[in-house]
Amino acid sequence: MIPSLPGARRAAVISLTAGALMAVSALASPAQAATAPSISGKGGFVLNNASGATVYSKTADTRRQMASTTKIMTAAVVLSTKGVDLNRKVTVKQAYRDYVAKEGASTADLRTGDKVTVRQLLYGTMLPSGCDAAYALADTFGTGSTNAARTKSFIAKMNAKAVELKLKNTKFDSFDGISQAGNNYTTPRDLAKIAQYAMKNSNFRAVVKATSYKSTAPTSTGGTRTYTWYQTNQLLGSYKGAIGIKTGTGTAAGPCLVFAATRGTKTLVGVVLNGPDRYKDAAKLLDYGFGTATAKTMKLRTLPADAQRD
């Protein structure tokens, strides 16, 4: 409380005090003081990973197709399976190769008869966005007597996880984002929450932050095959602090990106759906959340010529 002072002097003190408070407030939250960026994406959302607080929102609750960002939930369901053994061997079936050939889908180029581990399948699903690897995971972790029954069972687990996470605007009819009926949808807010959940798992974090992965697998003839996969997410290695997560592109979905970055003690998780300039969108949204200005000078990491695009 300001003590009684002569009128003019009292007014001056009050004015000075108010000005000082305004200055302190402006310094305390530079990110919030900045104008929210304009993005190319039809939908966007950013949350604070620690608190879940909303940092940015654009049509956050409008349902949209999500393409291969679906695979975040595929990986999350596998990793949340009780007693999951990441070193478990899975024999690659011809059906997985036939599927990607039929759909013209992105692939980890798994070879029939090779024995790959669940860990390798996770990398093959998330880095080159391999629909064959996602199929192998769904077939392995679903239940039933046929491939179709097992993948249907696995998709049911994906939907059960969405219910567990209290996501009212998300539904899966696919283990990889290739949806025949178009009944595979989410919202920017829901997808960010899925990513936030997945990022709690250290194995998931290790997979999605890798720009490449090289490993070997025994073949059906007793030989050894080397697999090398490159991360389709070009934000990694381009934006300082980027730690994931997943690209997706589809005719109905457009270009999509789920991303995360850490600077200092703050981690942000975000989503851009149907964004023609998704990487610049993500950089601008992260800058907004961190109170920085690096998007304008960001140069995207170049993918090797033989890398998958998604």
Side-chain angles (χ1 to χ4, degrees), residues 24 32 93 128 188 193 205 279:
V24 170
Q32 282 67 42
K93 298 177 181 179
K193 289 181 179 179
R205 294 196 302 273
Y279 293 114

Side-chain angles (χ1 to χ4, degrees), residues 90-236:
V90 175
T91 301
V92 177
K93 298 177 181 179
Q94 182 62 35
Y96 309 157
R97 291 184 61 84
D98 292 344
Y99 172 74
V100 294
K102 176 188 174 185
E103 298 294 341
S106 52
T107 177
D109 196 22
L110 299 177
R111 301 303 177 92
T112 305
D114 285 5
K115 294 185 184 302
V116 295
T117 65
V118 171
R119 189 188 308 277
Q120 287 173 312
L121 288 174
L122 287 167
Y123 277 96
T125 296
M126 300 302 287
L127 269 65
S129 199
C131 294
D132 47 354
Y135 189 170
L137 288 173
D139 189 32
T140 299
F141 286 88
T143 56
S145 58
T146 65
N147 288 359
R150 287 187 292 272
T151 53
K152 183 178 180 180
S153 162
F154 185 83
I155 293 166
K157 291 182 180 182
M158 296 168 70
N159 282 311
K161 182 62 71 176
V163 171
E164 179 188 320
L165 296 175
K166 299 179 180 179
L167 308 178
K168 297 181 179 179
N169 290 304
T170 296
K171 185 173 182 180
F172 299 100
D173 70 357
S174 163
F175 52 77
D176 60 1
I178 297 175
S179 174
Q180 303 302 332
N183 209 18
N184 194 83
Y185 58 79
T186 189
T187 66
R189 188 191 308 274
D190 278 8
L191 189 50
K193 289 181 179 179
I194 293 171
Q196 181 188 29
Y197 168 76
M199 290 292 278
K200 292 178 180 178
N201 185 286
S202 60
N203 287 304
F204 182 87
R205 294 196 302 273
V207 170
V208 299
K209 76 176 182 181
T211 54
S212 65
Y213 182 76
K214 186 175 183 179
S215 63
T216 59
T219 68
S220 59
T221 57
T224 301
R225 193 184 317 281
T226 299
Y227 285 100
T228 303
W229 296 311
Y230 298 102
Q231 170 71 260
T232 59
N233 177 10
Q234 291 175 267
L235 198 68
L236 287 172

